[in-house]
Amino acid sequence: MDRTVDVVVIGVGQAGLSAGYFLQRRGFVPGSGYVMLDHSAGPGGAWQHRWPSLKLGTTNHVHDLPGLALDSDQLDIAAAEVVPSYFARYENHFALPVRRPVTVTAVRPDGAGLLVSSDHGDYHTRAVINATGTWERPFWPHYPGAATFTGRQLHTADYRGAEEFRGHHVLVVGSGISAVQLLDEISQVTTTTWVSRRPPVFSQAQFSPEAGRAGVAVVERRVRAGQPPGSVVSVTGLMLTPALRAARDRGVLHRLPIFSRIVPTGVAWDTGATVSVDVILWCTGFRSALEHLAPLHLRETGGGIRMTGRLATQVTVEPHLHLLGYGPSASTIGANRAGRAAVQEIDALLRD
Ligand code: FAD
């Protein structure tokens, strides 16, 4: 069934919901003016898939969506419970035109606008706000010998809790926030080894809004230059939280340089050193889930997408397309701000 709308929002996590709110505020009519497509069975975006031991109180703060606060003091409840129910409340409160489960399979040029193809038909639209996040694109780096490893390998995205590793030696790979949080958690039930490509940069100071803004500014410069975004934490460094100080005092934060190859029973370095492990946990981050945008040929030779607009949400080569949750808006607070900016710019573009 073909439909024609003004705006299609792809993805209904924090970023998509923020866009839906501001579209409604700008007078776009739910259903005929704009639709919101998401292929998850329920509300919550990536939060519905987070591991159970990630409590609301141990996240890096989930910012309220515009217009309706999370208002939860349930800090010791799983974020995977609290946030999806908040998002469901939000969708109902604003009667947002969410269609799910709908998988967008491709976005193509379509005259002056774009054609959004999905497993539930096509949408001819004048503008697209893409908010498909990163959760579905876990990044697994390649190391020689990976296929020979006889133990278990999993990514952050597959992690469900530390208990299942009791009695096994776990190798944690990565130097981001998830890596050190899971290293701390797992090291409380079993033995661990920690490796990363780059030495982690720990910041003694509390996470300040200035540090956050500085980190976002670096990522924003990168995407405006058409470079891959990189991660904000690679700029801000890792905050030494009380839990991480305790892990350090337990001798857990002893980081080794990344290994050269993987062997059937563990990992090995060119120096001849080896470590036998039962599990390799790849906390090696995520990439943006943008495969459905491939027909638009957005990527520059360096692999990034050149962005423009007030908050670098607009795609330079395709002004009818905005990317939220990409680069500088890849955080809950960034997604909120980007939603407002993208809708303002789309509204102006469509009026023109
Ligand atoms: P998502 O929440 O991932 O939502 C994307 C939606 O798009 C999903 O519902 C998915 O079903 C849908 N989708 C994807 N592809 C398609 C398609 N082809 N068709 C239809 N629908 C599609 N940020 C913070 O600010 N605070 C934190 O504490 C924090 N903790 C984090 C912990 C982890 C482990 C990770 C990985 C990230 C964390 N972040 C945190 C970052 C934060 O998750 C994101 O910035 C934000 O929640 C992502 O929102 P989003 O809307 O961009 O994407």
Side-chain angles (χ1 to χ4, degrees):
M1 188 173 81
D2 273 19
R3 284 142 292 201
T4 302
V5 290
D6 286 329
V7 186
V8 173
V9 178
I10 308 173
V12 187
Q14 183 99 13
L17 287 171
S18 163
Y21 171 82
F22 287 111
L23 282 166
Q24 200 167 100
R25 291 273 299 243
R26 296 291 291 207
F28 286 88
V29 178
S32 59
Y34 72 104
V35 292
M36 304 169 71
L37 310 178
D38 194 294
H39 67 186
S40 293
W47 289 103
Q48 56 195 308
H49 308 302
R50 298 286 199 257
W51 52 92
S53 54
L54 183 67
K55 308 300 181 196
L56 188 64
T58 53
T59 66
N60 304 308
H61 190 57
V62 178
H63 285 82
D64 290 342
L65 282 158
L68 181 70
L70 171 55
D71 250 356
S72 170
D73 53 2
Q74 301 171 305
L75 298 181
D76 57 350
I77 306 287
E81 255 180 68
V82 177
V83 182
S85 65
Y86 169 49
F87 283 12
R89 198 156 42 90
Y90 193 89
E91 290 178 19
N92 294 330
H93 181 81
F94 293 104
L96 294 175
V98 180
R99 307 258 159 85
R100 63 161 66 90
V102 172
T103 298
V104 170
T105 51
V107 179
R108 297 181 176 84
D110 181 32
L114 293 165
L115 175 67
V116 176
S117 299
S118 83
D119 58 357
H120 283 69
D122 290 353
Y123 291 82
H124 298 270
T125 183
R126 301 171 68 203
V128 167
I129 294 178
N130 189 85
T132 47
T134 61
W135 186 258
E136 298 174 21
R137 286 284 311 284
F139 176 62
W140 290 73
H142 171 71
Y143 284 91
T148 67
F149 183 57
T150 55
R152 181 182 169 202
Q153 298 188 63
L154 71 161
H155 187 278
T156 312
D158 312 307
Y159 179 78
R160 307 308 306 150
E163 199 45 46
E164 61 182 293
F165 301 118
R166 189 177 290 278
H168 298 287
H169 188 70
V170 179
L171 178 76
V172 176
V173 184
S175 56
I177 296 175
S178 297
V180 293
Q181 278 185 340
L182 298 189
L183 177 67
D184 171 32
E185 197 165 294
I186 296 168
S187 66
Q188 296 182 43
V189 302
T190 192
T191 55
T192 55
T193 298
W194 179 28
V195 298
S196 68
R197 272 185 322 159
R198 285 185 293 268
V201 176
F202 282 107
S203 165
Q204 304 286 344
Q206 275 306 318
F207 190 77
S208 67
E210 296 72 30
R213 277 194 288 275
V216 169
V218 170
V219 172
E220 182 171 331
R221 276 197 298 277
R222 289 180 59 85
V223 297
R224 287 188 188 280
Q227 296 166 353
S231 79
V232 175
V233 80
S234 63
V235 182
T236 57
L238 288 165
M239 299 307 127
L240 254 184
T241 61
L244 289 182
R245 286 180 204 282
R248 181 193 55 189
D249 298 346
R250 285 189 285 117
V252 167
L253 298 188
H254 171 62
R255 172 259 175 193
L256 296 175
I258 193 73
F259 44 79
S260 321
R261 63 191 175 288
I262 298 172
V263 296
T265 56
V267 292
W269 285 261
D270 287 343
T271 57
T274 59
V275 171
S276 293
V277 301
D278 304 303
V279 179
I280 301 177
L281 173 58
W282 298 95
C283 297
T284 42
F286 297 81
R287 294 294 181 268
S288 296
L290 302 178
E291 301 89 326
H292 52 290
L293 302 181
L296 297 174
H297 305 295
L298 304 174
R299 290 209 185 265
E300 310 243 330
T301 44
I305 298 173
R306 189 176 297 271
M307 306 299 289
T308 185
R310 190 164 65 82
L311 292 187
T313 59
Q314 189 179 37
V315 174
T316 305
V317 296
E318 179 40 84
H320 296 86
L321 172 62
H322 281 252
L323 304 185
L324 302 191
Y326 176 78
S329 59
S331 71
T332 55
I333 188 165
N336 284 355
R337 291 189 185 132
R340 178 200 295 267
V343 168
Q344 280 170 349
E345 289 168 15
I346 282 177
D347 191 25
L349 180 78
L350 299 190
R351 288 178 194 280
D352 285 352

